[in-house]
Amino acid sequence: DETLEAIKRYLSTQRDRGELAESTVKSRRSRLAEYARIYEQLHGPVSLTRNLDDIEQRPSENDRCMEVFDVLKDQLSTDQSRLKYLGDVQQFYDYQVRFQGAKYNPLDGANDQFRWEIDNPDNKTVDAEGMRAIYEAAESIDDKLLVLALGAWGLRPNEVASLTIDQFELSDDADNRIVFEQRKNGPGEVAVLFGVDVLKQRIVDLDGPGWDGYLFPSARSATGHLTPQTVTNRFKRLAETAGFTVEGATPTAKMGRRFWYTTYNEAVKQMMEGLEGIAADQGSSSTEIVSQNYLSEAEKRRYRREAMGNELGEVFGEN
């Protein structure tokens, strides 16, 4: 009851003083409710605000709140969704500090722990037509793999340059991935939803005495593999061969990664649109609620992979 009253009071203030649209208030209510449910599952049926007036409880409460976002991190598919949850909950706690006498915000600084990021939507990117033209300009297997690593796998130029065969986990059930022991945001995995045939051909071409496992080896480099700048230069040369520009300039390798993000967002959007029928059958007005409450994590992951695989197939597949 104490938690419900705190959330209602906060949302009422947001609606009345912030003059927010009712749809925005409903979205915030939904996220706060999901956060509270996970908190209860992890830590018992206790008030979210019970320890906020005791500064000595701060380390423990910080841990409890961060554990909730460890769960949400796995439940939500994009950094954009995770940051929406984090922002809404942080604002709820900020309200407790500023207007309700709380001594601290237990999620203050959480952004630095997770380091989630959203690509600037104003950043220029390559569209599907341009990426297909660049891919078709690649005549060699290594150039094709370079374009796929950027556009179909969403890797950074430095990650492409240093790729090794040992990072790939390939399986018969199409659950293929690249494993990074260390990445910008920590260890992680990247799904390989397209291009396994090109990857395998590249391995065949390189396999032999003296191969050290790098997919883009370089005898002239001290590291034994291409530099990130060389990856960018090769991508730009392919774009020039294709005669493709972005606002009059030759696209860079980073734009290939941005293409992956925009394509993934479109795939997730299409997946959510596909849930509208289920939402209607369940009497729900929100496909997000259906995704959270009626689909298992394995189902959501499968639907996302299928949608993204179809999008990539349209761009990089055979005519």
Side-chain angles (χ1 to χ4, degrees), residues 204-259:
V204 170
D205 293 346
L206 291 170
D207 194 20
W211 182 41
D212 54 9
Y214 287 117
L215 293 178
F216 298 98
S218 172
R220 294 181 294 177
S221 172
T223 61
H225 58 74
L226 296 184
T227 66
Q229 186 60 48
T230 301
V231 171
T232 293
N233 290 341
R234 288 176 64 172
F235 184 83
K236 292 176 72 172
R237 282 200 298 270
L238 290 170
E240 290 171 353
T241 300
F244 181 80
T245 62
V246 177
E247 296 186 7
T250 303
T252 66
K254 288 184 178 180
M255 292 184 186
R257 174 172 164 80
R258 291 179 198 144
F259 165 81

Side-chain angles (χ1 to χ4, degrees), residues 98-119:
R98 295 177 182 179
F99 301 106
Q100 299 299 319
K103 300 292 180 60
Y104 62 91
N105 182 337
L107 285 171
D108 187 30
N111 308 60
D112 296 331
Q113 292 292 315
F114 290 109
R115 306 190 73 83
W116 294 324
E117 60 183 18
I118 300 177
D119 271 14

Side-chain angles (χ1 to χ4, degrees), residues 77-84 86 110-121 123 154-156 159 183-186 254 257-258 260-261 264-265:
S77 59
T78 66
D79 281 3
Q80 183 174 1
S81 298
R82 295 160 184 152
L83 285 169
K84 283 183 178 179
L86 182 57
N111 308 60
D112 296 331
Q113 292 292 315
F114 290 109
R115 306 190 73 83
W116 294 324
E117 60 183 18
I118 300 177
D119 271 14
N120 187 340
N123 284 340
L155 303 186
R156 300 175 177 89
E159 294 170 339
R183 216 173 181 212
K184 182 178 179 181
N185 296 332
K254 288 184 178 180
R257 174 172 164 80
R258 291 179 198 144
W260 185 93
Y261 270 101
Y264 184 82
N265 287 336

Side-chain angles (χ1 to χ4, degrees), residues 3 11 21 23 33 36 50-51 60 65 104 122 153 162 174 189 204 225 256 261 278 288-289 291 303 311 315:
T3 294
L11 291 174
S23 59
R50 73 193 189 284
N51 290 321
S60 298
C65 294
Y104 62 91
D122 294 329
W153 305 342
S162 60
E189 297 180 353
V204 170
H225 58 74
Y261 270 101
I278 300 176
E288 185 173 343
I289 291 176
S291 174
Y303 290 147
E311 289 286 326
V315 176

Side-chain angles (χ1 to χ4, degrees), residues 2-14 95-96 100:
E2 188 176 325
T3 294
L4 291 173
E5 184 59 34
I7 293 177
K8 288 178 181 178
R9 186 186 306 114
Y10 164 71
L11 291 174
S12 177
T13 301
Q14 292 287 293
Y95 174 81
Q96 308 308 313
Q100 299 299 319

